[in-house]
Amino acid sequence: AVLALLMSLGKVDPNTFGGSNAAALSFDNRALRAELGYWAVTQKILSTHASDKRLAAKDAIAFLADAFKKKDEGWRLLLSMRDETGFHAGHAVVPFGYFKGDGANQFFLRIYDPNFPGEERRIELDVKANTWSYEGSPNPDVPRTYVGSADNLLQFSPVTPRLGVLVPPFSDGFT
């Protein structure tokens, strides 16, 4: 999700990996796999999360309305499942728009999901009930529905803090 977002912001050239955009790339490309690994590791660097936003469904639309005005930043959205044992099955997607649904309190976040390249996906929000849901399984025989409420928030993370020199967690000066 992060690499696709960086490509859409013009910070990484998808042609480097053999395609005109993220959806046109092949996972068979060794350089692409290495690049994906690099960006995946950056999520473990604490300094990249200093500006993260953990938001309830009722607050997400106002946040995105402001965030989408800033064309030099993009946001990765982390979804996770929560049960009695805690959080699991985390999945990163890229929000790029939203719209009002037919219901009085219904909105949809328009997202790019790397498990569905080239396909617009949507997260449903109920801003009155303060809930969200997303069906994110690439396998229709094994559903994976992410749901959230006040105890499972939408986790937005800006992408530009991952650019530049990062301090690894095993070096001196890491905080």
Side-chain angles (χ1 to χ4, degrees):
V2 170
L3 183 56
L5 180 54
L6 289 168
M7 288 175 181
S8 73
L9 291 171
K11 299 189 184 295
V12 174
D13 183 0
N15 290 301
T16 304
F17 307 103
S20 59
N21 58 49
L25 301 178
S26 169
F27 197 65
D28 293 333
N29 182 310
R30 185 179 176 103
L32 175 62
R33 288 195 313 268
E35 190 77 5
L36 287 166
Y38 172 81
W39 293 110
V41 168
T42 64
Q43 70 186 327
K44 298 295 186 181
I45 306 295
L46 293 178
S47 64
T48 67
H49 297 287
S51 297
D52 283 8
K53 309 287 184 207
R54 292 175 45 89
L55 300 174
K58 66 182 178 67
D59 302 317
I61 299 300
F63 167 74
L64 289 172
D66 186 52
F68 289 152
K69 292 176 189 172
K70 301 170 183 147
K71 300 300 181 194
D72 60 337
E73 182 63 87
W75 293 82
R76 184 266 301 147
L77 172 55
L78 175 64
L79 307 173
S80 58
M81 296 179 140
R82 183 169 189 185
D83 62 21
E84 61 279 351
T85 64
F87 294 98
H88 58 94
H91 184 51
V93 298
V94 177
F96 62 87
Y98 60 88
F99 63 93
K100 174 89 176 73
D102 292 334
N105 305 301
Q106 181 185 50
F107 286 85
F108 290 93
L109 297 185
R110 299 172 65 206
I111 62 167
Y112 169 78
D113 183 332
N115 288 341
F116 301 91
E119 180 181 328
E120 179 178 317
R121 305 287 292 177
R122 298 174 180 168
I123 299 172
E124 183 176 1
L125 306 179
D126 182 326
V127 296
K128 184 172 184 180
N130 204 19
T131 59
W132 60 269
S133 65
Y134 175 63
E135 176 51 51
S137 176
N139 182 347
D141 296 329
V142 184
R144 177 173 280 175
T145 304
Y146 295 85
V147 294
S149 59
D151 66 345
N152 187 9
L153 302 174
L154 296 163
Q155 301 176 56
F156 295 91
S157 183
V159 71
T160 57
R162 294 183 185 204
L163 301 173
V165 177
L166 302 174
V167 179
F170 48 81
S171 71
D172 292 338
F174 181 75
T175 57

